[in-house]
Amino acid sequence: MRKKLFLALSLAIVSSSTTFAQTAPAKDDPIKTMVGRLELAKYKATLKGLTQFGDRRQGTDRNRAAVDWIEAQLKSYGCTNTERIKYNFEQPARNYRTPTPLPPVIASGEIRKNVGDSRMRGNVGPVSVNEDAEKQTDAALRKLNSQPATNGPREEVYCTKIGSTHPEEMYIVGAHMDGHGWGEAADDDGSGTALVMELARVFSSPDVVTDRSIRFALWNNEETGLNGAKAYVEQRYALQGKESPAGSGKYPEPKWLGMIQHDMLLWDHGMPRPDGTVNPEQRPEADVNIEFRYDTKFGEQAAKLAYHFRDANEKYATDYPAAVGHHMTNTDSDPFKDLVPAISLRENERGMQIGAGWNPHYHQATDLFSSYSDKDFTLGLNAAQTTLGAVAELVGAKLKK
Ligand SMILES: [Zn+2]
């Protein structure tokens, strides 16, 4: 009788479980060991390293120096097969100096539409790109950021963990390394760039084996209109899954299984207050926002991918939870969204929250490493834990005994 009851209960548990209702990782889960190799100090050190190049504006010497530095770091982590995408960028004529009137803080209950079919509610703060050098009060940083962008050739770097049994298929893990605003582009997007670099470090460890491949891509020219990611799609889309040279077992462009973008991962302090001020502390209910777009060719698969990430967050992230939304927009996953399941990870939803002025450092001279606390950096670390766990499961990552 007892046995029968036990069997019935087990069956009930099995039948009620879904793909995403999973339990905590097993005690000897190798992915948990890999996630444990991410550390707050290392994440911060990588992010700090990026800030030595100021705001890393595209088309400048400081941007090119940052690409060189990122490539050297990737190689030093063991991700030695670095390659570059080369493209040309011409800035469309545009008057940066035209002052845009800032929307006032509102708390009227009015709902305003924003990018990605999102809706802004409650208190809405101003959003703009700082183009005023004088807003940077640190003279050394102002000087570092003073060279303007010039039109011409551009480069961006990636490296690849090659799959042991399916080298011909890969997930793309990306972030944009360029920024603007006369600060250090620490959150936007040093936080995502450091995350991708840290994942390249962990996956490139000689004792980590994956069935499928992972590409770590640091896009350039995101801030000018996703131009680096678009160049990648234009140049590489048709090369997918082709063995070259024939019979070599080498796949210069493995088939894309998914694209995961990381853009702004530190600051989740909540809505601006009615007087326009913001909470100086990370809110205790901060979370990682995983977004996809339902109204795309791969919308349903992207939704599934997003919930896989939420589940990985529950298994592997140490401090902050994750939430899923369907208004992904305005980042490098956009050019991929009708070609492959694509998601983005952020500190807040792009349209409803970031776009409503929740982050006062967004594109400002104050986007500095020193503007963030360990509670903020820990949100970025938790996003890294989420992606590392989720991708490790997807590519069948194991540790060599
Ligand atoms: Zn960004």
Side-chain angles (χ1 to χ4, degrees):
M1 184 65 192
R2 272 181 76 111
K3 214 171 188 178
K4 257 191 185 161
L5 181 65
F6 178 74
L7 184 68
L9 277 173
S10 309
L11 281 174
I13 288 163
V14 169
S15 61
S16 69
S17 73
T18 70
T19 320
F20 305 114
Q22 293 175 9
T23 49
K27 259 195 184 140
D28 57 348
D29 179 1
I31 295 174
K32 199 171 163 57
T33 306
M34 292 174 212
V35 172
R37 292 174 178 176
L38 294 168
E39 292 170 26
L40 184 63
K42 284 183 177 159
Y43 176 65
K44 284 173 66 179
T46 304
L47 210 170
K48 181 77 184 157
L50 287 159
T51 64
Q52 69 186 295
F53 307 100
D55 67 6
R56 304 184 298 283
R57 182 187 287 269
Q58 59 79 35
T60 64
D61 289 341
R62 61 190 182 280
N63 174 278
R64 286 183 279 272
V67 175
D68 290 345
W69 183 81
I70 290 166
E71 180 165 23
Q73 293 297 114
L74 293 172
K75 284 178 186 288
S76 77
Y77 301 153
C79 208
T80 53
N81 56 1
T82 57
E83 295 191 63
R84 292 192 182 200
I85 296 286
K86 296 178 184 179
Y87 58 99
N88 206 66
F89 180 70
E90 308 277 329
Q91 178 76 54
R94 169 183 159 194
N95 184 357
Y96 275 114
R97 296 284 165 187
T98 307
T100 31
L102 302 176
V105 166
I106 55 166
S108 58
E110 173 195 359
I111 297 171
R112 293 190 197 175
K113 285 194 170 182
N114 200 9
V115 291
D117 291 327
S118 63
R119 283 155 187 79
M120 301 189 293
R121 296 162 188 271
N123 304 329
V124 175
V127 171
S128 66
V129 177
N130 174 49
E131 294 291 341
D132 180 2
E134 297 309 313
K135 289 268 169 66
Q136 184 45 263
T137 53
D138 178 333
L141 184 55
R142 189 165 62 238
K143 187 161 181 282
L144 178 64
N145 284 334
S146 60
Q147 188 192 41
T150 47
N151 291 338
R154 300 283 186 271
E155 296 191 11
E156 62 192 3
V157 66
Y158 61 83
C159 71
T160 311
K161 170 80 176 179
I162 311 275
S164 59
T165 57
H166 287 283
E168 77 283 4
E169 296 179 349
M170 71 172 173
Y171 286 88
I172 302 172
V173 176
H176 71 88
M177 50 69 63
D178 67 309
H180 56 182
W182 292 85
E184 291 175 331
D187 187 29
D188 188 10
D189 186 26
S191 64
T193 302
L195 180 155
V196 173
M197 292 171 70
E198 285 296 287
L199 261 61
R201 177 178 64 76
V202 173
F203 278 114
S204 299
S205 172
D207 66 345
V208 173
V209 184
T210 62
D211 292 339
R212 288 179 167 75
S213 301
I214 312 166
R215 177 154 292 170
F216 304 97
L218 290 317
W219 316 114
N220 205 342
N221 277 93
E222 192 271 353
E223 299 291 5
T224 49
L226 323 179
N227 311 90
K230 285 175 183 167
Y232 180 93
V233 169
E234 278 167 25
Q235 294 180 27
R236 311 293 299 177
Y237 178 75
L239 307 176
Q240 286 182 73
K242 289 182 182 161
E243 191 182 36
S244 175
S248 66
K250 292 194 168 120
Y251 297 84
E253 190 66 26
K255 180 179 157 48
W256 306 347
L257 300 178
M259 194 277 168
I260 302 115
Q261 169 75 357
H262 303 82
D263 194 357
M264 300 174 71
L265 293 156
L266 304 182
W267 183 276
D268 189 358
H269 293 212
M271 186 181 283
R273 298 167 178 144
D275 66 358
T277 61
V278 294
N279 183 358
E281 288 285 345
Q282 189 79 295
R283 56 177 176 161
E285 63 274 32
D287 58 9
V288 177
N289 289 88
I290 303 161
E291 294 183 273
F292 68 99
R293 276 298 280 268
Y294 204 74
D295 56 344
T296 55
K297 200 169 165 197
F298 287 86
E300 281 190 32
Q301 290 172 63
K304 203 175 162 193
L305 185 65
Y307 280 104
H308 171 72
F309 270 65
R310 178 166 173 160
D311 181 60
N313 168 276
E314 289 174 5
K315 278 159 95 174
Y316 298 112
T318 48
D319 309 273
Y320 295 107
V324 173
H326 63 309
H327 296 301
M328 178 185 83
T329 188
N330 288 62
T331 193
D332 295 311
S333 42
D334 240 54
F336 290 87
K337 68 180 189 280
D338 286 303
L339 307 171
V340 64
I343 61 173
S344 72
L345 274 69
R346 291 183 179 271
E347 63 200 17
N348 278 313
E349 290 203 6
R350 171 63 183 81
M352 182 171 79
Q353 300 169 336
I354 295 173
W358 284 32
N359 184 339
H361 305 302
Y362 175 45
H363 294 165
Q364 301 304 305
T366 56
D367 189 0
L368 309 169
F369 186 86
S370 61
S371 296
Y372 306 101
S373 73
D374 274 1
K375 287 181 184 171
D376 300 318
F377 290 120
T378 299
L379 187 65
L381 179 74
N382 277 243
Q385 294 167 333
T386 302
T387 296
L388 200 155
V391 171
E393 288 185 338
L394 291 168
V395 301
K398 296 169 206 69
L399 284 170
K400 278 187 205 163
K401 298 277 178 213

